[in-house]
């Protein structure tokens, strides 16, 4: 069985579709996971979609992906802008990493303009709404030679 793509979402993203639809849209995280699972089937991939509000849990999943995952798509939420620990964990992962932000972080407050994760990511998608996850999965398929 081929290794899955880990799709990791950070703090507060469990509220997707339930609050602030003007910024983050109307789709829930469960909707996103279902779309990614369907697309993964089409691309001959599989996904493991996970969300946590805890930095250490996200790091533990990145470590798990070192042996169990083919690639990582990550929206670290606010940890994007603060977490050297997530950056270090991603640097210990050998496969491709793609960073996704639902909103355009560069159009928002200055403290959102810097990402610790971007220096490790093969690519960054920001401001495409939840469609960004779908685009990232397509790109992941290309990077893994599936398309
Ligand atoms: O645009 C993104 O995807 C962010 O990673 C989302 C983070 C934010 O801190 C980053 O700067 C950009 C916040 C996630 C909060 O998610 C919510 C979703 C619905 C309702 C409330 C919060």
């Amino acid at each position: 069985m081929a290794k899955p793509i880990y799709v990791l979402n950070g703090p507060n993203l469990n509220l997707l579709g339930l609050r602030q639809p003007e910024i983050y849209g109307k789709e829930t995280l469960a909707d996103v996971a279902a779309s990614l699972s369907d697309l993964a089937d089409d691309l001959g991939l599989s996904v493991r979609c996970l969300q946590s509000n805890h930095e250490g849990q996200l790091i533990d999943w990145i470590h798990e992906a070192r042996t169990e995952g083919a690639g990582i798509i990550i929206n670290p939420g606010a940890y994007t802008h603060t977490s050297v620990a997530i950056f270090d964990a991603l640097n210990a992962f050998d496969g491709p990493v793609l960073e996704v932000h639902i909103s355009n972080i560069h159009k928002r407050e200055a403290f959102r303009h810097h990402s610790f994760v971007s220096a490790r990511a093969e690519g960054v998608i920001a401001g495409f709404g939840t469609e960004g996850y779908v685009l990232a999965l397509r790109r992941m398929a290309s990077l893994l030679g599936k398309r």
Side-chain angles (χ1 to χ4, degrees), residues 15-26:
L15 299 178
L16 207 59
L18 309 178
R19 298 286 308 273
Q20 295 182 267
E22 67 287 358
I23 302 178
Y24 299 112
K26 288 186 185 161

Side-chain angles (χ1 to χ4, degrees), residues 11-13 15-17 19-20 24 75 77-78 80-81 100-103 105 108 112:
N12 298 308
L13 285 157
L15 299 178
L16 207 59
R19 298 286 308 273
Q20 295 182 267
Y24 299 112
N75 181 348
T80 304
H81 319 296
V100 172
H101 298 287
I102 299 165
S103 64
I105 54 176
R108 301 183 65 188
R112 297 186 203 273

Side-chain angles (χ1 to χ4, degrees), residues 11-120:
N12 298 308
L13 285 157
N14 54 310
L15 299 178
L16 207 59
L18 309 178
R19 298 286 308 273
Q20 295 182 267
E22 67 287 358
I23 302 178
Y24 299 112
K26 288 186 185 161
E27 271 202 315
T28 66
L29 207 51
D31 294 332
V32 172
S35 300
L36 292 179
S37 181
D38 287 350
L39 177 60
D41 280 349
D42 292 347
L43 295 169
L45 294 169
S46 64
V47 285
R48 178 156 154 72
C49 295
L50 300 162
Q51 185 276 332
S52 177
N53 294 323
H54 305 279
E55 190 174 19
Q57 176 64 81
L58 293 164
I59 290 165
D60 285 346
W61 284 330
I62 294 167
H63 290 177
E64 183 183 298
R66 280 165 41 77
T67 53
E68 306 303 321
I72 296 177
I73 294 171
I74 184 165
N75 181 348
Y79 291 141
T80 304
H81 319 296
T82 62
S83 183
V84 176
I86 288 177
F87 173 66
D88 286 345
L90 289 169
N91 275 322
F93 175 76
D94 288 332
V97 174
L98 297 174
E99 178 182 353
V100 172
H101 298 287
I102 299 165
S103 64
N104 180 359
I105 54 176
H106 302 290
K107 202 179 173 186
R108 301 183 65 188
E109 301 97 321
F111 65 81
R112 297 186 203 273
H113 296 179
H114 177 260
S115 164
F116 282 98
V117 170
S118 297
R120 166 61 185 89

